[in-house]
Each structure stands twice: as C-alpha cells, then as structure tokens.
Amino acid sequence: LIKMKRYGRAVLAAVLASSVAATPVLAAPDTNELESSKAAAQSEADSLQEQLTELLNKAGELEEEMISTGEKRSEERRVGKE
C-alpha cells in the first residue's frame, strides 16, 4: 500500500512536471507594438477630449440660450400684466 502511494505520487509529479514543461511561454510584446498601441490610445484620448470640449461648449451655448429665452418670457409676462 505504501509503495502504491509512492508510485502514485511519482506518477503525479511526472505528469505535473511534463505539463509545466509543455506550457507555452508567451513573449512580451515588442517595443514597436507597445509604441503603436500607445500612439493609438493617445489618438483616441485626444479625439475623446476634443468631443468632450465640443459637447461642453454646446451645453454652455444651450444654457445661455435657455437663460435668454427665460428672461424674454419673464419680460413678456411682466409687460403683459401692466
């Protein structure tokens, strides 16, 4: 029984060792790939920043337009009551 346990452990160790040896090692991306990815990410970030700026400007314009419209309506109501 003890010999069988030892044999089983030896087989298990051999299987584990062979599976570790057979596991492919993935190489780290080379510098060119990293630079290309960085440039693409930076370009996307710049584009998104530009879109955000445009949206914030448009929101500001709409806010000013709403204020102006509200002031006109208030003035019309005030003049209408007189």
Side-chain angles (χ1 to χ4, degrees):
L1 185 63
I2 293 175
K3 286 184 179 183
M4 290 182 78
K5 284 185 180 180
R6 285 184 184 166
Y7 178 74
R9 287 183 186 162
V11 169
L12 180 63
V15 169
L16 289 175
S18 65
S19 70
V20 169
T23 303
V25 176
L26 301 176
D30 67 9
T31 305
N32 291 337
E33 289 177 27
L34 291 174
E35 288 294 331
S36 177
S37 294
K38 179 182 175 184
Q42 185 62 51
S43 176
E44 184 177 0
D46 292 344
S47 174
L48 290 171
Q49 182 64 45
E50 192 173 302
Q51 290 176 26
L52 176 59
T53 301
E54 289 173 9
L55 290 171
L56 290 173
N57 288 338
K58 183 67 175 174
E61 291 170 9
L62 290 172
E63 184 178 10
E64 289 175 12
E65 190 176 318
M66 288 173 52
I67 291 169
S68 176
T69 301
E71 288 173 349
K72 286 178 187 175
R73 295 230 171 120
S74 293
E75 180 67 22
E76 289 170 357
R77 280 188 238 141
R78 189 180 60 78
V79 170
K81 289 183 179 179
E82 293 178 357

